[in-house]
Amino acid sequence: MRYDRNYLYIEPEEQARLATCRVLLGGCGIGSNIAECALRLGFERLRLVDGDTVSLSNLNRQNYTQQDIGRLKAETLAKRLRAIHPQASIEAISAFIDKNNMEDCLQGVDIAVNALDFTSDVPFLFDRACARRQIPVIHPYNLGWAALAIVVSPEGPFLDDIIGADPQRAEVRFVQHLLEAQLSKEETAWLHEIARRYVAMPERQSPPQLAVGSWAVAALTTRLLFLLATRPQEVAPYPKVYWLSAVQ
Amino acid sequence: MRYDRNYLYIEPEEQARLATCRVLLGGCGIGSNIAECALRLGFERLRLVDGDTVSLSNLNRQNYTQQDIGRLKAETLAKRLRAIHPQASIEAISAFIDKNNMEDCLQGVDIAVNALDFTSDVPFLFDRACARRQIPVIHPYNLGWAALAIVVSPEGPFLDDIIGADPQRAEVRFVQHLLEAQLSKEETAWLHEIARRYVAMPERQSPPQLAVGSWAVAALTTRLLFLLATRPQEVAPYPKVYWLSAVQ
């Protein structure tokens, strides 16, 4: 009944596979948008990890409400997801992923989403730890009016192979690298302009992000989760760039 | 503070325009996904119209929870939106739009979203009533792994000009028309296959829809709402097709 309207797109045996596939959401910022879309599609075993709390400036895009401000993101998101599907297995770990808890976080995981902040080398270590366990990793990026995602396979290459091991602004450097190397200049001219203005700002600020990008990221990442769970041979790892843009 | 992270993408005067722009969501099925994305971006004056109640089979994609089952969609959605932004003006009309209440629903509206079910000629009449008031209308479609939207300008053409005035399965006929006439065969081969299987089914069922399509529709429609509110000259009305596909 819950999944009746998934018919024709998702076969019964695929739906059953989604229900048992264990997904780790590393970071509950953009991860909060992905989690709800993935749960509604049929991913019923989600582990949410984040030590952060909700702030007012998250509400322009993340999956929280005004009364959630100050609350722990992982627990708050788990409450929302359990309200949508009380029978799903939603596990919240309200801690920042670090070297000490990383292996515990990855225990039993089939697919990981790396939506961690690049404030240390933890996001790099996360990918390597996943690789040792043969876990594919999706990296999602909110680019305002567009979404971008890549899949890091256990064989690599890894992000630090591509852009170097300095975590400072690594996500910005990586997106700039993709804009230069992988995407058509014509299609992304508006984004080059945003990137130029952002890098030129006198003080370092968190990158701008819109609700449109978060919704697009959730759609794109959920599609990749579906493929990785049911038809992994149809997923191309990096350097393939998955790109969804509302600027047309 | 709430919209701090919209910087670079949305100028302050554009943000102010979104806050005063009055959007009508005709239908709170796919409209429920659009409404939240639009609210988070900055649309603070939303009118939600739907006489339907939430059912379990909505939860694979629409913006409701399990305890909402049996409740009125418009009121339930309004509660969710007010929790996200208590200062926003969210108006719920728990009635199906018909000839009698249509003019009241359109009172004061700047942009309309036609997400009404094609079970009568009401969706056609809705577009004509909007045109008389110079209100542009967005038509959003959930196509499983993809989203499609068109904009009907007050000058037309209108949907019944394009596919005829029979409301029976008009949305299916219209999507098939677009697939044939406007979109590349290569890019939409997977969808032709779904459409073929759907039309061949012995009993008429509601079309299949996925969470991925709903999230993509919300992103695409919110982008169009932004343009219509701030830079209407950048929006191309039908026959331009806006298309966002996670199949790549």
Side-chain angles (χ1 to χ4, degrees), chain B residues 214-232:
Chain B
S214 295
W215 261 249
V217 160
L220 189 57
T221 304
T222 300
R223 167 68 180 172
L224 290 170
L225 287 169
F226 168 78
L227 290 179
L228 286 168
T230 62
R231 315 169 191 178

Side-chain angles (χ1 to χ4, degrees), chain A residues 94-169:
Chain A
S94 292
F96 291 104
I97 293 183
D98 61 23
K99 288 164 201 170
N100 298 319
N101 63 17
M102 195 176 286
E103 294 299 328
D104 286 344
C105 289
L106 293 176
Q107 196 70 45
V109 166
D110 295 305
I111 311 172
V113 177
N114 186 337
L116 301 166
D117 285 335
F118 279 87
T119 48
S120 72
D121 60 351
V122 166
F124 295 134
L125 300 173
F126 181 86
D127 283 8
R128 305 269 179 180
C130 288
R132 285 193 295 274
R133 291 170 179 264
Q134 295 296 312
I135 301 169
V137 184
I138 304 172
H139 283 251
Y141 297 97
N142 179 327
L143 299 176
W145 302 115
L148 188 156
I150 61 154
V151 178
V152 173
S153 91
E155 290 74 42
F158 302 97
L159 249 61
D160 48 358
D161 294 328
I162 303 161
I163 53 159
D166 177 8
Q168 278 293 329
R169 294 189 139 192

